[in-house]
Amino acid sequence: MANFEAYQEYQRIEEFEEDSPPGEEDLLVHVPEGLKDSWHHIKNLDNFFTRIYHFHQKNGFACMMLTEFFELVQFLFVVTFTTFLVNCVEYDVLFANRAVNHTGPGQNPLDRNKVTLPDAILPSQQCTQRIQDNSWIIFLLIMAAIFWIYRLVKVFCNVLSYWEIRQFYIKALKIRMDELCNFTWQEVQDRLISLQREQQMCIHKKELTELDIYHRILRFKNYMVAMINKSLLPVQLQVPLLGNVVFLTQGLKYNFELILFWGPGSLFQNKWNLHPKYKRSGNRLELAQQLSRVILLIGLANLLLCPFILVWQVLYAFFSYTEVIRREPGSLGARRWSLYGRLYLRHFNELDHELHGRLGRGYKPTSKYMNSFTSPLLTVLAKNIAFFSGSVLAVLIALTVYDEDVLTVQHILTAITVLGVVITITRSFIPDEHMVWCPEQLLQCVLAHIHYMPDHWRGNANKSETRDEVAQLFQYKAVFILEELLSPIVTPFILIFILRNKSLEIIDFFRNFTVEVVGVGDICSFAQMDIRRHGNPTWMSEGQTEASVYQQAENGKTELSLMHFTIKNPRWQPPQESSVFISHLKEKVHHDAQGGPSTQLLLSEAPLCTSLQSNESGTGPDNLLASVLAHPILTASGLQGRDSRFIPPSTAASAAASVLASLSTSQLAHAGRGRSHHSLLPTSVHPETTMYRSDRTFIDSMSNSDSRIRSNALHSEFASAEMSLHAIYMHELHQQSSHPQRASGQWQNPVPMRELHTNTGFQGHGGLGSSMPAPVHLGGWQEEEEEENEDDQEINSGSAPKQGTGSSC
């Protein structure tokens, strides 16, 4: 339970209404008759915008309805097929434990004992009688039928509601269904914002912003991200013999959302307003007891339904993964981002497709990092087990090739299958002989994409403790399946014995970190990305934040989320405090870029640096990021790249600052006054923009039919690369602020943000001071011939030189 001293630190955050002009809550909107439609004054905009988003992401009405139809068919198939296997199959006959004698005219005497499939299937009357005599089977079938009918009604409702969304896309947004795949979500969002000016979907605000739409779609997810960030939800458990274990499954997450957001007795009175009693501090103890009773009841319900849920989980896993395991046993050794990792690494106001794209780009470097850890003892055992298993398997295969009658010997097929699985599993523990030990550099590559990394990982990338913590975010698929199977058993105990003890802390959290935004409703205050109220002084917001320790987001979540949202939505106008932070960050980037390597040099090394991380040739954005990540290694190892000039030692942060400054100045050189000043990338790919002039091969190769699609894709890639550079740069500055003794080279005396603000003569957030360097032309992106010199060939042939101390490759 929350103690009194901790409670005293909380302060009610005032209502935040900067997204709406003052007095707009009393605004009466007159809509002309010609513009009235069924989409004027939509009551539940949360549900409406969420369906619009899902409709776009799931590729339209036909795909969505077909998916839901087959989900119904799958459930019906699993129940029916399982019932058939349990009650209608004679397994003694199938396994030849009981002889079957076929007699009849014309029957070959040699085939009388041959078993066929119809012999093992009971007659329909006998099968029906078995089912009727088993009361448990009848009870389970009734429960399954009720659930299936509920799903059927839900699908029918979805058909009606998504048909309306289909009409909305066609009539209001002017997007035909055959063109839906050609539109990005940002384009759909822009049309929604424009439509608000014509038809007042929301009558409480005259105009909608990008942040308003994100808030409505991600209202509850932002709360979940904030509670994971503040370690409020009990997902980290201390298990005997296993230590600290992270346990968060789909079932447990579903129960969290049921208790907090939309279930009976939840904290929200509807989908957009917290119940007023939870906003008052006078009855917090009574509300905590009430929430504790709700958690207890739901926990007991989970305990009661545990056998049924467990049976369904086992059956679904069996039908889903058995064939995959038989065909590709190594798939269990593949990794995936855990559900906890998706919440821990998620920015505030980050939509699903943005998160999936970002984590997808980080999959390969994270896999390389995890695979770089090997156990010498386990490697020796795996090699020998693979040798012995392979030898036996080779003999069995040779015998079956010589005489196929060997397959009729009992358990021969089983032995061949098991030996194949054992060989596949053991080979996954044998490391690649060409792998280079370079954990620090690999972890830096991981950080570039996932954007979040605890401070104690820095400098400890070669330790098993760090690997174990990364494994909590990036788990084996086998671990994921095992956790889902255990979820029906573990979830009730987590709810009853752990979550109930946090009832008072949960009540305090929702009261202190909920704000009301006009035209949006109650949202998590962290989702406002307000530097003043939730910034952290060690994340470049010193002097700009008033947040106490309890109000600060952990791991720079506020600052990084603000940068991510700004880059993804370049037309969004942030509040004043956020604009000041972004402007200070740009000034810091331009100041530090003056001491970093030249951008031309970085880009000329792009093909060389890309080879250090991947065997594939990268695109323009990939080369930008690869150059920044690998440049410190090249300079530290004494290599001078393709430029024969002397290269001063530099860090990844200085290289990132140089590229970011070039991106910003390239934009300002072409954008003009009409473009948003805080954006660090153009809002569209322009063939004459300086930043893209060096990559004209992309633009020139576009046909008229797909130029817009290719341009949008290219812009998205550059936006992702820019955010990755910001993540590297901001983490480096955070390390300098938190641990000044770790700074090295040109970073020993960093310029404080406040001094930088006063010395450059910066006025507002609309322009840069006189210290901004001249625009840098980003040229020389074309890859040169690999045969240019012998050193380049040597580097390009491997992944990276082996490091000796664990800090450089």
Side-chain angles (χ1 to χ4, degrees):
M1 306 293 284
N3 54 50
F4 181 75
E5 292 78 3
Y7 168 70
Q8 293 294 327
E9 290 293 334
Y10 285 102
Q11 296 179 358
R12 170 63 181 168
I13 299 178
E14 301 85 358
E15 293 181 356
F16 192 93
E17 299 182 356
E18 277 89 335
D19 278 348
S20 298
E24 193 167 284
E25 61 274 11
D26 301 323
L27 181 65
L28 295 178
V29 179
H30 171 70
V31 181
E33 285 292 328
L35 294 179
K36 284 185 177 179
D37 208 332
S38 58
W39 302 294
H40 168 67
H41 187 194
I42 298 172
K43 183 177 180 180
N44 191 344
L45 276 175
D46 281 32
N47 186 57
F48 186 68
F49 286 155
T50 301
R51 288 182 182 275
I52 290 175
Y53 175 71
H54 288 163
F55 190 91
H56 175 268
Q57 293 298 307
K58 295 181 180 179
N59 302 310
F61 182 81
C63 290
M64 295 186 68
M65 295 304 102
L66 196 62
T67 300
E68 295 204 5
F69 169 76
F70 277 113
E71 286 179 356
L72 287 175
V73 174
Q74 281 184 8
F75 181 82
L76 200 62
F77 171 79
V78 170
V79 173
T80 305
F81 191 49
T82 303
T83 304
F84 170 79
L85 292 176
V86 172
N87 297 279
C88 302
V89 177
E90 190 69 37
Y91 289 99
D92 286 338
V93 175
L94 185 65
F95 296 151
N97 294 329
R98 190 176 66 191
V100 177
N101 187 19
H102 296 281
T103 59
Q107 184 73 33
N108 188 348
L110 297 178
D111 294 337
R112 289 180 180 179
N113 294 327
K114 189 174 183 179
V115 178
T116 61
L117 282 178
D119 295 333
I121 298 176
L122 296 176
S124 58
Q125 294 181 352
Q126 187 176 355
C127 179
T128 304
Q129 188 63 37
R130 278 193 176 187
I131 295 175
Q132 293 176 352
D133 294 340
N134 193 329
S135 58
W136 276 105
I137 293 294
I138 294 177
F139 176 74
L140 291 175
L141 289 177
I142 292 174
M143 294 287 294
I146 294 174
F147 179 76
W148 190 83
I149 293 174
Y150 164 76
R151 289 287 303 273
L152 180 63
V153 173
K154 190 174 180 180
V155 169
F156 180 75
C157 294
N158 285 340
V159 169
L160 298 179
S161 61
Y162 278 107
W163 181 262
E164 180 184 1
I165 298 298
R166 180 182 183 274
Q167 298 302 108
F168 178 80
Y169 266 90
I170 295 174
K171 295 181 179 180
L173 299 182
K174 310 299 181 184
I175 300 176
R176 301 199 314 267
M177 290 300 97
D178 57 343
E179 295 180 348
L180 181 63
C181 297
N182 298 335
F183 284 82
T184 64
W185 170 248
Q186 277 67 30
E187 292 175 311
V188 174
Q189 184 174 260
D190 291 341
R191 297 198 178 198
L192 276 175
I193 295 173
S194 299
L195 184 65
Q196 168 68 14
R197 305 186 186 104
E198 302 173 4
Q199 299 190 35
Q200 294 294 318
M201 295 178 291
C202 175
I203 63 172
H204 298 288
K205 299 190 71 172
K206 187 175 182 179
E207 293 190 1
L208 290 176
T209 66
E210 292 87 349
L211 190 59
D212 292 337
I213 297 175
Y214 275 68
H215 277 162
R216 288 190 175 275
I217 298 175
L218 301 170
R219 188 188 304 273
F220 296 153
K221 285 189 178 180
N222 281 328
Y223 274 107
M224 292 291 292
V225 172
M227 286 188 284
I228 290 292
N229 181 256
K230 300 297 289 183
S231 301
L232 184 60
L233 294 179
V235 296
Q236 298 195 16
L237 311 176
Q238 289 294 331
V239 180
L241 302 179
L242 297 179
N244 186 27
V245 175
V246 171
F247 187 86
L248 181 61
T249 61
Q250 294 289 350
L252 183 58
K253 178 174 175 286
Y254 176 86
N255 279 276
F256 287 157
E257 295 173 347
L258 178 69
I259 293 170
L260 300 175
F261 302 125
W262 54 268
S266 65
L267 279 63
F268 277 74
Q269 64 179 359
N270 49 47
K271 289 189 175 182
W272 57 88
N273 283 118
L274 189 69
H275 200 285
K277 63 183 179 181
Y278 293 103
K279 299 180 181 180
R280 298 187 292 267
S281 60
N283 54 349
R284 54 191 289 268
L285 295 178
E286 178 184 350
L287 294 175
Q289 294 176 356
Q290 179 180 339
L291 179 61
S292 178
R293 288 194 294 270
V294 172
I295 296 174
L296 176 61
L297 291 176
I298 294 181
L300 292 176
N302 274 271
L303 195 60
L304 182 64
L305 296 174
C306 173
F308 311 108
I309 301 175
L310 181 61
V311 169
W312 168 254
Q313 292 279 63
V314 172
L315 290 176
Y316 188 81
F318 175 78
F319 289 125
S320 299
Y321 299 113
T322 302
E323 191 277 332
V324 176
I325 294 173
R326 187 198 67 81
R327 178 168 40 89
E328 298 179 6
S331 61
L332 291 178
R335 291 186 176 269
R336 65 186 301 275
W337 295 103
S338 66
L339 187 58
Y340 169 75
R342 293 175 186 274
L343 288 174
Y344 178 84
L345 300 175
R346 190 170 194 149
H347 293 295
F348 293 121
N349 302 309
E350 184 175 20
L351 291 172
D352 290 342
H353 75 279
E354 297 171 346
L355 175 67
H356 295 162
R358 180 164 61 87
L359 296 184
R361 284 185 288 270
Y363 184 88
K364 286 186 177 180
T366 312
S367 297
K368 289 182 179 180
Y369 173 75
M370 297 300 293
N371 294 334
S372 66
F373 286 84
T374 59
S375 171
L377 180 60
L378 189 60
T379 300
V380 173
L381 292 176
K383 287 182 178 180
N384 284 274
I385 293 175
F387 171 77
F388 294 124
S389 301
S391 301
V392 177
L393 180 61
V395 172
L396 294 179
I397 293 176
L399 290 175
T400 57
V401 171
Y402 177 76
D403 190 348
E404 62 182 10
D405 290 337
V406 176
L407 294 174
T408 61
V409 178
Q410 191 175 20
H411 299 314
I412 283 294
L413 283 177
T414 303
I416 292 176
T417 303
V418 171
L419 289 172
V421 172
V422 169
I423 293 172
T424 303
I425 294 176
T426 53
R427 289 194 182 280
S428 65
F429 293 100
I430 302 175
D432 183 5
E433 60 181 2
H434 302 294
M435 182 182 62
V436 179
W437 175 251
C438 189
E440 288 292 344
Q441 176 64 10
L442 288 174
L443 197 59
Q444 186 80 334
C445 296
V446 173
L447 172 64
H449 297 289
I450 68 174
H451 300 171
Y452 293 101
M453 186 177 77
D455 292 343
H456 62 271
W457 287 7
R458 180 66 64 92
N460 297 315
N462 59 340
K463 295 185 177 180
S464 58
E465 292 82 1
T466 302
R467 180 193 181 278
D468 294 339
E469 293 185 18
V470 177
Q472 294 176 349
L473 309 176
F474 198 60
Q475 63 183 181
Y476 284 116
K477 192 171 184 177
V479 175
F480 163 75
I481 297 173
L482 180 62
E483 287 182 351
E484 291 295 333
L485 292 177
L486 293 177
S487 179
I489 302 173
V490 179
T491 294
F493 295 98
I494 293 179
L495 297 179
I496 296 174
F497 297 106
I498 303 180
L499 185 63
R500 285 181 61 209
N501 298 331
K502 291 181 172 288
S503 298
L504 185 58
E505 295 180 50
I506 293 173
I507 295 296
D508 290 340
F509 177 88
F510 276 88
R511 182 183 69 256
N512 294 300
F513 297 121
T514 295
V515 294
E516 183 179 356
V517 176
V518 171
V520 177
D522 291 333
I523 65 169
C524 181
S525 61
F526 288 101
Q528 286 295 104
M529 303 174 295
D530 188 352
I531 298 298
R532 179 171 63 87
R533 289 167 175 159
H534 295 302
N536 192 319
T538 63
W539 285 88
M540 303 177 61
S541 57
E542 185 177 2
Q544 304 176 43
T545 180
E546 302 172 358
S548 64
V549 174
Y550 295 95
Q551 294 172 337
Q552 296 170 4
E554 307 297 330
N555 299 320
K557 181 77 76 171
T558 301
E559 292 79 5
L560 288 167
S561 296
L562 175 61
M563 292 307 304
H564 179 267
F565 190 84
T566 304
I567 292 173
K568 288 293 183 180
N569 300 272
R571 297 176 184 174
W572 175 65
Q573 295 293 336
Q576 181 180 359
E577 293 83 359
S578 300
S579 298
V580 172
F581 172 81
I582 294 172
S583 300
H584 283 185
L585 176 61
K586 289 179 65 177
E587 290 184 66
K588 180 71 173 171
V589 166
H590 286 298
H591 180 275
D592 292 339
Q594 296 177 353
S598 66
T599 310
Q600 292 93 336
L601 177 61
L602 286 171
L603 295 180
S604 68
E605 293 174 345
L608 174 65
C609 300
T610 303
S611 67
L612 293 176
Q613 304 167 64
S614 174
N615 293 328
E616 302 174 359
S617 58
T619 60
D622 294 334
N623 287 339
L624 276 177
L625 186 58
S627 300
V628 170
L629 290 171
H631 183 73
I633 299 178
L634 298 181
T635 56
S637 61
L639 297 175
Q640 298 183 6
R642 301 184 185 275
D643 197 326
S644 58
R645 297 173 299 172
F646 172 73
I647 304 175
S650 58
T651 65
S654 62
S658 297
V659 176
L660 287 172
S662 299
L663 292 176
S664 180
T665 53
S666 297
Q667 176 202 355
L668 293 176
H670 183 81
R673 299 179 181 178
R675 199 176 297 268
S676 176
H677 290 284
H678 62 266
S679 174
L680 301 183
L681 271 182
T683 56
S684 63
V685 178
H686 195 288
E688 293 304 319
T689 303
T690 309
M691 184 178 66
Y692 296 98
R693 186 177 301 164
S694 57
D695 203 34
R696 287 297 300 273
T697 55
F698 290 106
I699 306 299
D700 295 338
S701 62
M702 294 179 185
S703 62
N704 294 331
S705 60
D706 64 350
S707 60
R708 182 179 61 82
I709 303 174
R710 295 280 298 276
S711 298
N712 289 332
L714 187 59
H715 171 263
S716 177
E717 290 299 317
F718 272 98
S720 299
E722 183 189 9
M723 184 59 214
S724 297
L725 296 174
H726 272 102
I728 296 171
Y729 180 73
M730 294 173 70
H731 270 272
E732 184 69 28
L733 295 188
H734 167 68
Q735 287 292 325
Q736 297 167 20
S737 177
S738 303
H739 309 284
Q741 69 276 9
R742 293 186 183 180
S744 60
Q746 62 205 33
W747 296 102
Q748 289 180 353
N749 298 309
V751 180
M753 295 294 290
R754 287 175 291 180
E755 295 182 10
L756 183 66
H757 175 66
T758 56
N759 293 338
T760 57
F762 172 78
Q763 300 294 334
H765 86 281
L768 298 172
S770 58
S771 63
M772 185 182 73
V776 180
H777 297 279
L778 307 187
W781 285 24
Q782 290 79 7
E783 292 191 5
E784 299 179 19
E785 295 295 327
E786 292 185 359
E787 298 82 3
E788 190 167 330
N789 58 61
E790 188 174 335
D791 293 336
D792 290 349
Q793 292 177 358
E794 180 179 353
I795 295 177
N796 278 315
S797 63
S799 57
K802 185 172 182 178
Q803 65 175 17
T805 62
S807 59
S808 61
C809 296

